[in-house]
Amino acid sequence: GNSVTQMEGPVTLSEEAFLTINCTYTATGYPSLFWYVQYPGEGLQLLLKATKADDKGSNKGFEATYRKETTSFHLEKGSVQVSDSAVYFCALRTEAGTALIFGKGTTLSVSS
Amino acid sequence: NAGVTQTPKFRVLKTGQSMTLLCAQDMNHEYMYWYRQDPGMGLRLIHYSVGEGTTAKGEVPDGYNVSRLKKQNFLLGLESAAPSQTSVYFCASSYSSQISNQPQHFGDGTRLSIL
């Protein structure tokens, strides 16, 4: 079946460090891929998305590239800030699907 | 711009009690969803709706019922609450998923504790 696997957290970084959160997926066809972010006490917000192979989604300094050959959509940021501390969810929606399929989430904690 | 609004934000129930969670969206979205979020489990789909008057089961529908009488509202009901239903519940909405790249917009969640 369709699924999303994220690296387990928590990920703990110092301010200005480089961030990578790994995400791989299993799906038929050509799904759309998403990263959502959840700040403490809030709902999920769309961070970025990519809809076809080799697309790069980007927002707020975060980037992720849709890699069909490795079925991956890793999230990266060159220099994290304390305000980036949150839970990050990778998700997919298949061409025939209705709802999103989420990974279990990765908690990021950034200290100054 | 309200987006997706969930009420209530917090609730404590006793086992066996019933309650309804309300979700309202003002974006004229066709699709609406209810998820639950549990530690280490990510978000799991409970029920969803692809339009007014329609509902369908998701991954974990047991113990819940839903109704979509108006396009802008999606209600989640617990007829007889159980401690296993202690969770954070999120409502989301989106345009038609016939276009798979449409993102979902989420509410801020309802934190429900069942004693």
Side-chain angles (χ1 to χ4, degrees), chain A residues 97-109:
Chain A
T98 301
L100 291 171
I101 298 169
F102 285 90
K104 294 184 178 181
T106 302
T107 299
L108 170 65
S109 179

Side-chain angles (χ1 to χ4, degrees), chain B residues 48-68:
Chain B
Y48 64 97
S49 169
V50 299
E52 183 177 325
T54 73
T55 63
K57 294 180 179 180
E59 180 185 355
V60 289
D62 294 341
Y64 305 94
N65 56 75
V66 288
S67 63
R68 183 100 181 267

Side-chain angles (χ1 to χ4, degrees), chain A residues 13-69:
Chain A
L13 296 173
S14 298
E15 207 166 22
E16 299 184 1
F18 184 85
L19 168 71
T20 299
I21 299 178
N22 291 338
C23 171
T24 57
Y25 68 90
T26 301
T28 55
Y30 296 89
S32 293
L33 303 175
F34 305 84
W35 276 102
Y36 280 83
V37 58
Q38 183 181 31
Y39 298 104
E42 298 183 9
L44 279 71
Q45 303 174 25
L46 178 66
L47 182 58
L48 54 84
K49 69 178 184 181
T51 58
K52 61 183 186 294
D54 300 325
D55 264 3
K56 178 184 284 187
S58 61
N59 185 26
K60 299 180 181 179
F62 291 90
E63 293 183 341
T65 301
Y66 189 144
R67 301 290 188 196
K68 181 71 173 175
E69 64 276 13

Side-chain angles (χ1 to χ4, degrees), chain A residues 36 38 49 51 93 98 104, chain B residues 33 37 40 100-102 104:
Chain A
Y36 280 83
Q38 183 181 31
K49 69 178 184 181
T51 58
R93 175 185 269 168
T98 301
K104 294 184 178 181
Chain B
Y33 314 82
Q37 183 181 27
S100 65
N101 64 7
Q102 292 297 315
Q104 294 181 7

